[in-house]
Amino acid sequence: MILQQILRLSSIFRSAVSIHLRRNIGLSAIVFNKAKELDPVQKLFLDKIREYNTKSKQTGGPVDVGPEFQKEMNESLARLRRMYGEGDLTKFPEFKFEECGGTAPTLSAL
């Protein structure tokens, strides 16, 4: 009986220690990975994204597109305006909700 309790406690202890070690090793790997320099492919990828970001801010839109892209964009916007009405289709719509002047129903009204 005592032997069974000892074995049960040892298995619980082992699983707790195992989970604790796995979590610490996983966290340590993340910390060490951030501490060291990025690998060359990751660095190149991030450099290209940053370069595209600066170019798109300078041009105010998509980078390295030709006149055919602008033509297709205008045609698509015109088609959408015909289907859904006027308005600026390049902006997210603004919603205005008005407060209800009534009162909330009570349980006695039901």
Side-chain angles (χ1 to χ4, degrees):
M1 177 117 167
I2 295 174
L3 183 61
Q4 289 176 342
Q5 288 178 348
I6 291 173
L7 290 175
R8 189 178 316 138
L9 286 176
S10 70
S11 68
I12 291 172
F13 180 73
R14 265 187 292 146
S15 66
V17 169
S18 171
I19 289 171
H20 185 69
L21 286 175
R22 272 188 272 153
R23 287 183 183 165
N24 283 340
I25 290 172
L27 183 62
S28 299
I30 292 171
V31 170
F32 286 128
N33 204 11
K34 288 187 184 280
K36 67 179 185 178
E37 189 64 31
L38 296 173
D39 70 17
V41 175
Q42 287 177 330
K43 186 172 178 0
L44 180 65
F45 181 74
L46 289 175
D47 290 344
K48 287 295 181 180
I49 287 176
R50 290 181 184 127
E51 178 185 343
Y52 184 86
N53 188 22
T54 56
K55 283 183 180 180
S56 67
K57 285 181 181 177
Q58 289 173 352
T59 62
V63 178
D64 298 333
V65 295
E68 66 276 351
F69 173 80
Q70 192 62 38
K71 180 182 173 191
E72 288 179 19
M73 177 80 157
N74 291 337
E75 288 173 358
S76 297
L77 288 175
R79 185 173 53 248
L80 289 170
R81 281 194 185 97
R82 282 193 305 271
M83 289 172 40
Y84 298 109
E86 294 298 318
D88 189 7
L89 297 176
T90 59
K91 287 179 35 179
F92 191 79
E94 294 180 16
F95 300 104
K96 294 181 183 176
F97 299 101
E98 297 178 10
E99 287 292 323
C100 179
T103 59
T106 60
L107 289 176
S108 62
L110 297 175

